[in-house]
Amino acid sequence: MKRYNIGLIGFGCVGQGFYEVLKANPSIPAQITKIVVKDASKERAVDRNLLSFNIDELINDPAIDMVVELIDDVDVAYDILKKSLSLHKPVVTANKKMVAENLSELISLQTLYKTPILYEGAVCGSIPIIQTIDRYYQSENITSISGIFNGSTNYILTKILEQNLTYDEALQEAQENGFAESDPILDVGGFDPKFKLSILVRHAFGHWVHPDQILHWGINKLQNQDFDFAKANGLKIKLVAKADYKNGSLSLTVAPHFVNAQDPLFYIDNENNVVIIDGEFVGRQTLAGKGAGSHPTGLAVLSDVKAIIYGTAYHYKIPLEFIIPDSVIDVYVRYDATTDFVVELFESISEKYVGKQSSYVLGSIKLNQLKSILNIDNVNAIVMTQEKKELQTTKLTYSYAS
Amino acid sequence: MKRYNIGLIGFGCVGQGFYEVLKANPSIPAQITKIVVKDASKERAVDRNLLSFNIDELINDPAIDMVVELIDDVDVAYDILKKSLSLHKPVVTANKKMVAENLSELISLQTLYKTPILYEGAVCGSIPIIQTIDRYYQSENITSISGIFNGSTNYILTKILEQNLTYDEALQEAQENGFAESDPILDVGGFDPKFKLSILVRHAFGHWVHPDQILHWGINKLQNQDFDFAKANGLKIKLVAKADYKNGSLSLTVAPHFVNAQDPLFYIDNENNVVIIDGEFVGRQTLAGKGAGSHPTGLAVLSDVKAIIYGTAYHYKIPLEFIIPDSVIDVYVRYDATTDFVVELFESISEKYVGKQSSYVLGSIKLNQLKSILNIDNVNAIVMTQEKKELQTTKLTYSYAS
């Protein structure tokens, strides 16, 4: 079997994890022969002879057969990808933003140059979800994909709800453990799971949705009273990504949700992720595992390297068209007196509390109405709830300390 | 792309499921051109021109490119496999017993004839566990594989514990729903999960263990008082298959377990299965889905057919040797007065109850000691428990009605 020379670009948390898991597997016919890093002065636990500082030199090096790109910068990553493919060098990347925003073109480039790009490490860390959908569920009528797609926010939410850390303490812990993006707003603002949802939707439903088209908000506006509200009702808050298909309509959201103990998401804590697939033939499939971290994501990257050695490329579904509908969803919205007009936007209200400093309303609202209040400063928190019938049985009757 | 002509042998529950999911996927370049069935007189929802009654004729038919074998008989299935491979026709099978008992030879035959055998449908229905281990965890130091591998018994246990059905009613329901083997002892006696464990162990640890070498017992000796005992302590009973690796020792068991609400197995009910993989790099991965049924298993078979079209074969680990140790395990054993010698076999005892009709003991016992009492008639039930420290916290202090 041919041995592959890998050019690695980026040696951060995932890059090092990949380096270590490859080293632990000497039977794989591949070795890293060059690593491009930004900072020449930084001490690193690798042979200095491997290090290089010029991306183009690495890509153009005829000794390099495969490019593994593990950097943050989207534009540079896209440039690496195009240049490598044009030289017929397969690319492995974990850059979810780059993949999500350019997926339609990425598919064309792969066809044009007959050279694969694989990106298992871009979605949900250690969970082999793209390969699983690609090889297993292309023959399935998938009706829904949902789950917890961001390890960092799930870690933060767990620490706040279960260990009473403050938001800032929890965020710092997540960063120290290597679970967080360099720019935390990508995680806590709900951007990161949107990129992943966009990628999974292309594979599962054959429809590319630019991440900008997905309605999302994050956990960064949640405050103590929202967590207290959850606790008082036996609920947890989880950042949930969701794609629901029905009759040609594809409803897509990334948002914090209240989940109760009957929901499988309730039990997915810390940096763990879960993907739940519902299909007509298969019923419900659940895949859970570590969604972030150096070794788990490094192993996902390694699985792509092996897949390229085995001659694998993704089998993309033929593009299909879907309508993205204006669904009615159930939410909890906390607001202050200056924004009490939000109440009028609701289709129906099941509970309302008005307080001196802060008020909240529980009810049903159209997605497009909700969109109009997402970025208003004094709307302090919005959390999606279970379906109404469940809400009623969980009796959300928390009284504010006044 | 070449179109494949499939010869299907067997048209029972899984065979029909496979037929229907293939029919629902006209874009897959494969069609069933012949179906061998046993009973010529039975009415079937297929074109009668497809039907045939001669297995050899089907295998030898030069128009057939691929053989899908979905029958119960192990010897006939093995014969089909050998003949097909010798003609370089790839085989897809869901016959777990045949695969488990002959896996070492199956690997040799694949190498000899350079022709693949795939058997995703043989293990845990809809869960793509073999492909996932094969493609994803070959680069991982797996420390443990465990889970619920039998849909039929899990369905029965759920119905008894949650809907108060009797054992016989629950078994009948499982059979009516197509979850049970034609011979129920394969399920309820714990044989079926043993076959699956044997197959997974070869893929995960590179070591073939003949299923006869795996210590197992089933749920068929459990009676009302055992279920009452579980309920009174907030526990469920699950039939658990488990492979634990430590320092060159591989401990293997299939046995009913008490599981508490902290255990992820607690939430896997009805015909659902789950496989939990623990690895050094990846941490814990959980895959759950329907473990039985016509369409879920039919989809697994279809995934193998597609994998063959894509040129896939399994990448078996190089054979490794392991010791199968004589571990100490914690069990609950219910027995009657004629067999109270069992108590002396324990290393230590944490609780004992002696009653007129029936007694029980909770404690630690060596596997080899346990083996000696497995088939004694008046030992009425043996259930493995959580680790001792958990047992103490769950306070197993149920008192018999006397």
Side-chain angles (χ1 to χ4, degrees), chain A residues 266-334:
Chain A
F266 192 88
Y267 303 95
I268 307 296
D269 282 331
N270 295 312
E271 77 271 28
N272 290 301
N273 281 13
V274 64
V275 185
I276 298 173
I277 301 175
D278 288 295
E280 278 178 24
F281 289 131
V282 87
R284 169 162 288 194
Q285 290 282 310
T286 305
L287 291 91
K290 290 197 190 300
S294 176
H295 284 154
T297 313
L299 192 72
V301 172
L302 180 61
S303 83
D304 279 348
V305 167
K306 288 195 309 180
I308 283 176
I309 294 173
Y310 297 153
T312 303
Y314 295 135
H315 307 92
Y316 295 96
K317 281 197 174 180
I318 295 156
L320 298 171
E321 282 312 309
F322 291 100
I323 291 161
I324 298 182
D326 185 18
S327 329
V328 173
I329 58 171
D330 292 323
V331 288
Y332 151 105
V333 176
R334 187 166 52 74

Side-chain angles (χ1 to χ4, degrees), chain B residues 82-117:
Chain B
K82 279 196 293 190
K83 285 180 178 156
S84 304
L85 287 192
S86 74
L87 295 169
H88 301 282
K89 299 187 179 184
V91 176
V92 173
T93 172
N95 197 314
K96 49 218 99 175
K97 189 167 193 284
M98 185 271 283
V99 173
E101 291 182 344
N102 300 287
L103 190 45
S104 210
E105 199 169 347
L106 256 60
I107 297 171
S108 306
L109 289 171
Q110 292 181 74
T111 311
L112 177 67
Y113 294 115
K114 295 189 177 58
T115 305
I117 313 162

Side-chain angles (χ1 to χ4, degrees), chain A residues 75-350:
Chain A
D75 296 328
V76 178
Y78 189 50
D79 195 50
I80 290 169
L81 184 107
K82 279 196 294 190
K83 284 181 179 156
S84 305
L85 286 192
S86 74
L87 295 169
H88 300 283
K89 298 187 180 186
V91 176
V92 174
T93 173
N95 197 316
K96 50 219 97 178
K97 189 167 193 284
M98 185 271 285
V99 173
E101 290 182 343
N102 300 287
L103 191 44
S104 210
E105 200 168 347
L106 257 60
I107 297 171
S108 306
L109 288 171
Q110 292 181 73
T111 311
L112 177 66
Y113 293 115
K114 296 189 176 59
T115 304
I117 313 163
L118 299 180
Y119 38 82
E120 190 64 76
V123 181
C124 297
S126 70
I127 304 174
I129 184 64
I130 302 178
Q131 283 281 359
T132 300
I133 293 177
D134 189 68
R135 301 188 73 86
Y136 219 78
Y137 298 114
Q138 295 268 356
S139 316
E140 173 60 283
N141 292 321
I142 296 177
T143 52
S144 160
I145 288 195
S146 64
I148 297 171
F149 294 178
N150 181 272
S152 164
T153 46
N154 205 40
Y155 185 89
I156 292 169
L157 291 169
T158 305
K159 294 290 163 184
I160 294 173
L161 273 165
E162 283 171 29
Q163 293 176 21
N164 294 312
L165 294 193
T166 66
Y167 180 89
D168 291 335
E169 289 165 345
L171 173 60
Q172 202 190 328
E173 259 199 46
Q175 285 175 319
E176 283 166 7
N177 284 305
F179 303 147
E181 294 290 327
S182 356
D183 179 3
I185 193 66
L186 285 177
D187 293 317
V188 298
F191 294 89
D192 169 270
K194 213 171 62 153
F195 303 139
K196 295 166 178 171
L197 185 62
S198 158
I199 296 171
L200 291 186
V201 160
R202 178 61 186 85
H203 283 270
F205 299 101
H207 182 62
W208 178 53
V209 184
H210 192 287
D212 289 350
Q213 283 178 272
I214 299 175
L215 181 71
H216 85 287
W217 64 99
I219 64 165
N220 46 332
K221 282 181 154 190
L222 299 179
Q223 290 174 2
N224 283 342
Q225 54 259 57
D226 307 310
F227 293 108
D228 291 345
F229 185 100
K231 275 187 214 172
N233 289 286
L235 303 169
K236 290 185 183 176
I237 301 177
K238 298 288 180 189
L239 185 60
V240 180
K242 206 169 188 164
D244 275 320
Y245 166 76
K246 211 176 172 180
N247 303 330
S249 283
L250 194 61
S251 155
L252 301 166
T253 49
V254 170
H257 279 234
F258 289 125
V259 297
N260 64 27
Q262 275 72 57
D263 192 316
L265 302 184
F266 192 88
Y267 303 95
I268 307 296
D269 282 331
N270 295 312
E271 77 271 28
N272 290 301
N273 281 13
V274 64
V275 185
I276 298 173
I277 301 175
D278 288 295
E280 278 178 24
F281 289 131
V282 87
R284 169 162 288 194
Q285 290 282 310
T286 305
L287 291 91
K290 290 197 190 300
S294 176
H295 284 154
T297 313
L299 192 72
V301 172
L302 180 61
S303 83
D304 279 348
V305 167
K306 288 195 309 180
I308 283 176
I309 294 173
Y310 297 153
T312 303
Y314 295 135
H315 307 92
Y316 295 96
K317 281 197 174 180
I318 295 156
L320 298 171
E321 282 312 309
F322 291 100
I323 291 161
I324 298 182
D326 185 18
S327 329
V328 173
I329 58 171
D330 292 323
V331 288
Y332 151 105
V333 176
R334 187 166 52 74
Y335 57 96
D336 72 10
T338 64
T339 53
D340 62 1
F341 67 90
V342 303
V343 175
E344 288 159 31
L345 305 176
F346 277 71
E347 301 289 304
S348 66
I349 287 172
S350 60

Side-chain angles (χ1 to χ4, degrees), chain B residues 6-48:
Chain B
I6 296 172
L8 173 62
I9 306 175
F11 202 67
C13 173
V14 178
Q16 285 176 56
F18 166 63
Y19 176 86
E20 284 160 18
V21 294
L22 177 62
K23 215 169 139 180
N25 279 280
S27 67
I28 295 175
Q31 66 258 335
I32 296 171
T33 45
K34 205 169 261 186
I35 305 174
V36 171
V37 294
K38 246 198 245 170
D39 182 355
S41 61
K42 207 166 155 188
E43 273 299 316
R44 296 170 209 271
V46 284
D47 182 354
R48 284 201 70 85

Side-chain angles (χ1 to χ4, degrees), chain B residues 54 69 84-85 161 176 210 232 251-252 273 289 294 369 373:
Chain B
N54 188 320
E69 173 280 300
S84 304
L85 287 192
L161 273 164
E176 283 166 8
H210 192 287
S251 157
L252 301 167
N273 281 12
S294 176
Q369 293 286 18
I373 59 164

